[in-house]
């Protein structure tokens, strides 16, 4: 306890079950072990295509989703990245220490540039320097992330090392806190990670009602179940079953798959009910929070103050060491 950890999530709209199983459910557990900082990285989200008219709603919706999922503002500091100018400022200082060659190696940058060819902006390129700033401002012990973020954490440590070597020991190296989080794939294209950017029919949102989930799952890609080889889509359904169902039910369907007589419509119907049931308390809490915007705004304001007390100190230390304080 009292060792800080920090993680971030982009506000791109409603959270889906991939976000939940991959990150948020883990954050909720970590709150009891660590002093947690969770930030909504709205500045990072500007590096992808977006509609300005929707952004503030997406930010608010993400705050509400995190609170409804069990992030407890009594235990954790929940804040919005752009409300702390310290993040952008430190990102600039870090950018001056980051070799372009390091940034060019980032697979997320390469993937995203390939996906948004019309919008390969400089922000996308220096994204990892901003992420390093998000992290190092709070001098955390560790950063809970999924595997796809490991490269960004290595770069964060590269920057920390460079800073220490040039300006004197300032940052401890951080540890990735990798959890055994399942990789949830898109329902319609199970070769891709479940992501809002693929379209609403590819994802199950935490807030989806049972009817919506049934409909989305009914269209989820599977296989004939006859070849004995499990397709990516079927694997994904089993991953979901493993997370929302009982071991007995998982064995039942595995057995049916092996025997070549699995009924996917039956599996999908069950899974829809299980998922909807799992998120019933979340939907209730979300509805309550939506009726209570004052409370939500107050959580955000408190988070900002708590984060700023630490971030401003680190930034002052950095500026002093870099020779900017006159
Ligand atoms: N890049 C992360 C992602 O895509 C989001 C992120 C930004 C982050 N800043 C962070 C994660 C700091 C952990 C710590 O998921």
């Amino acid at each position: 306890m009292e060792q800080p950890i920090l993680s971030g999530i982009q506000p791109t709209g409603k959270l889906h079950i991939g976000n939940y199983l991959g990150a948020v459910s883990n954050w909720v557990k970590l709150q009891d072990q660590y002093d947690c900082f969770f930030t909504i990285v709205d500045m990072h989200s500007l590096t992808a295509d977006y509609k300005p008219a929707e952004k503030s709603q997406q930010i608010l919706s993400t705050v509400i989703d995190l609170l409804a999922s069990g992030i407890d503002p009594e235990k954790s500091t929940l804040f919005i990245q752009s409300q702390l100018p310290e993040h952008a400022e430190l990102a600039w200082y870090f950018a001056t220490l980051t070799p372009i060659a390091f940034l060019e190696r980032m697979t997320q940058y390469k993937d995203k540039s390939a996906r948004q060819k019309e919008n390969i902006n400089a922000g996308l390129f220096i994204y990892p320097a901003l992420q390093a700033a998000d992290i190092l401002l709070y001098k955390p012990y560790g950063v809970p992330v999924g595997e796809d973020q490991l490269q960004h954490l290595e770069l964060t440590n590269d920057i920390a090392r460079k800073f220490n070597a040039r300006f004197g020991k300032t940052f401890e190296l951080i540890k990735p806190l990798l959890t055994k989080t399942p990789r949830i794939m898109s329902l319609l294209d199970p070769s891709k990670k479940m992501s809002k950017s693929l379209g609403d029919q590819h994802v199950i949102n935490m807030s989806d009602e049972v009817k919506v989930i049934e409909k989305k799952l009914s269209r989820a890609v599977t296989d004939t179940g006859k070849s004995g080889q499990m397709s990516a889509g079927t694997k994904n359904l089993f991953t979901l079953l493993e997370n929302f169902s009982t071991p007995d039910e998982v064995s039942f369907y595995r057995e049916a798959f092996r025997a070549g007589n699995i009924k996917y419509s039956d599996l999908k119907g069950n899974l829809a009910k299980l998922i909807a049931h799992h998120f019933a308390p979340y939907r209730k809490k979300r509805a309550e929070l939506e009726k209570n915007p004052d409370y939500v705004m107050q959580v955000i304001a408190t988070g900002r103050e708590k984060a700023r007390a630490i971030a401003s100190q680190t930034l002052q230390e950095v500026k002093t060491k870099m020779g900017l304080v006159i």
Side-chain angles (χ1 to χ4, degrees):
M1 193 63 193
E2 290 323 304
Q3 254 181 326
I5 62 165
L6 175 137
S7 197
I9 188 164
Q10 297 205 36
T12 46
K14 286 181 182 162
L15 291 189
H16 57 70
I17 57 172
N19 303 130
Y20 177 78
L21 294 174
V24 180
S25 62
N26 186 37
W27 294 5
V28 172
K29 288 189 208 124
L30 289 168
Q31 292 179 118
D32 295 319
Q33 253 173 293
Y34 297 98
D35 181 16
C36 292
F37 290 82
F38 298 121
T39 177
I40 290 158
V41 290
D42 50 350
M43 286 157 67
H44 278 110
S45 77
L46 305 182
T47 62
D49 297 326
Y50 72 100
K51 297 198 179 74
E54 289 172 2
K55 193 44 82 184
S56 64
Q57 207 41 51
Q58 290 176 330
I59 296 168
L60 211 52
S61 170
T62 308
V63 175
I64 291 176
D65 267 337
L66 292 176
L67 293 173
S69 308
I71 297 297
D72 178 353
E74 299 290 322
K75 297 180 188 163
S76 296
T77 304
L78 183 59
F79 67 98
I80 298 170
Q81 181 192 41
S82 69
Q83 293 191 347
L84 284 95
E86 287 82 357
H87 287 240
E89 190 174 344
L90 185 58
W92 175 260
Y93 301 142
F94 282 172
T96 67
L97 298 172
T98 312
I100 285 183
F102 285 19
L103 296 172
E104 280 169 344
R105 258 181 245 142
M106 296 291 120
T107 55
Q108 192 165 320
Y109 168 68
K110 288 191 264 186
D111 291 348
K112 287 187 180 173
S113 320
R115 258 189 281 152
Q116 50 186 73
K117 289 204 176 61
E118 309 297 311
N119 182 14
I120 307 179
N121 58 81
L124 193 62
F125 191 58
I126 64 160
Y127 178 119
L130 180 57
Q131 182 162 351
D134 295 339
I135 296 169
L136 294 175
L137 273 175
Y138 302 90
K139 300 191 172 177
Y141 154 78
V143 183
V145 286
E147 241 175 277
D148 63 330
Q149 291 301 311
L150 276 182
Q151 208 186 17
H152 287 161
L153 298 194
E154 280 162 20
L155 185 75
T156 300
N157 279 338
D158 285 336
I159 292 175
R161 272 191 220 95
K162 275 188 190 291
F163 191 98
N164 290 344
R166 180 123 184 246
F167 306 108
K169 180 77 193 284
T170 308
F171 299 110
E172 298 285 340
L173 300 187
I174 48 125
K175 289 187 181 44
L177 302 177
L178 272 186
T179 37
K180 266 214 317 312
T181 46
R183 219 168 120 78
I184 307 299
M185 311 308 282
S186 146
L187 301 178
L188 298 182
D189 182 357
S191 69
K192 302 203 172 98
K193 200 169 123 175
M194 183 176 281
S195 160
K196 188 132 199 110
S197 62
L198 297 171
D200 194 54
Q201 295 305 309
H202 289 253
V203 309
I204 297 173
N205 295 308
M206 290 168 67
S207 58
D208 285 347
E209 299 284 345
V210 66
K211 289 269 169 286
V212 177
I213 305 177
E214 275 169 1
K215 194 149 168 231
K216 287 179 177 175
L217 275 178
S218 73
R219 299 177 51 203
V221 179
T222 53
D223 50 44
T224 58
K226 294 220 164 72
S227 71
Q229 272 283 341
M230 202 182 269
S231 69
T234 302
K235 260 197 204 124
N236 197 34
L237 292 183
F238 271 100
T239 306
L240 293 177
L241 266 186
E242 277 158 8
N243 281 281
F244 293 106
S245 180
T246 60
D248 279 356
E249 203 163 22
V250 178
S251 311
F252 171 81
Y253 285 111
R254 280 209 189 282
E255 207 35 63
F257 179 84
R258 244 176 259 128
N261 58 14
I262 186 164
K263 282 212 196 69
Y264 285 120
S265 57
D266 184 52
L267 183 160
K268 288 171 167 183
N270 265 335
L271 189 54
K273 284 194 195 70
L274 288 164
I275 294 176
H277 178 72
H278 184 92
F279 291 112
Y282 153 87
R283 287 197 301 279
K284 184 161 172 269
K285 185 129 188 247
R286 190 176 216 291
E288 283 164 19
L289 288 162
E290 272 170 350
K291 275 187 250 148
N292 204 346
D294 290 351
Y295 169 74
V296 176
M297 292 311 286
Q298 182 228 310
V299 167
I300 294 172
T302 308
R304 175 189 183 174
E305 290 318 307
K306 275 164 59 187
R308 198 148 194 196
I310 298 168
S312 63
Q313 253 183 17
T314 305
L315 190 67
Q316 198 52 32
E317 186 186 357
V318 162
K319 289 177 71 172
T320 306
K321 289 189 169 160
M322 292 182 102
L324 292 168
V325 176
I326 51 172

